[in-house]
Amino acid sequence: MENNTVEEGKTTAIISYITIIGTLIAILMNNEKKNPFASFHNRQALGINLMFYIIGYFVGYFDSWAITIPFYVFCVVLWVFGFVGAVQGEQKITPLVGNYFQDWFKNL
């Protein structure tokens, strides 16, 4: 990917990892002029956020810290992985679930 494309979409990509509100704002920012770098990170961030809230809802019913703590650690690791990639200007797929996010949200 061209360096110019990365630099143009870097701010939007970083914003997309700042809570679900940031993801929605980044999607709107990228709506007019589609930047492939920003779109990639929008899909990753949206997937991480949705996974956290949807699966976290069900994980919250478990009273065992042995189930909830690993889930939250997994989500934080994915978030850090994506955020660092956006800051460094890289398009790295998040482990285990990133390919699914790219496929499911390909219209963004």
Side-chain angles (χ1 to χ4, degrees):
M1 181 170 304
E2 292 182 21
N3 193 24
N4 192 27
T5 304
V6 171
E7 289 303 317
E8 288 176 0
K10 200 173 203 180
T11 302
T12 305
I14 291 170
I15 290 172
S16 70
Y17 287 100
I18 302 174
T19 72
I20 191 74
I21 305 291
T23 303
L24 296 175
I25 291 170
I27 289 170
L28 292 175
M29 287 173 63
N30 196 39
N31 209 13
E32 279 182 34
K33 184 180 176 188
K34 294 278 187 190
N35 182 295
F37 180 75
S39 293
F40 173 84
H41 283 286
N42 285 343
R43 290 188 290 266
Q44 294 291 304
L46 180 62
I48 291 169
N49 279 305
L50 290 178
M51 179 187 68
F52 175 75
Y53 289 113
I54 293 169
I55 297 174
Y57 177 78
F58 296 106
V59 168
Y61 283 108
F62 292 100
D63 288 334
S64 171
W65 59 269
I67 295 171
T68 56
I69 298 293
F71 171 73
Y72 292 124
V73 168
F74 176 70
C75 288
V76 168
V77 168
L78 290 181
W79 180 86
V80 168
F81 189 87
F83 183 76
V84 169
V87 169
Q88 292 178 346
E90 299 173 347
Q91 284 187 326
K92 292 193 276 185
I93 300 282
T94 53
L96 301 175
V97 291
N99 287 325
Y100 295 112
F101 299 155
Q102 291 300 315
D103 186 43
W104 294 339
F105 307 121
K106 59 186 163 200
N107 294 331
L108 292 181

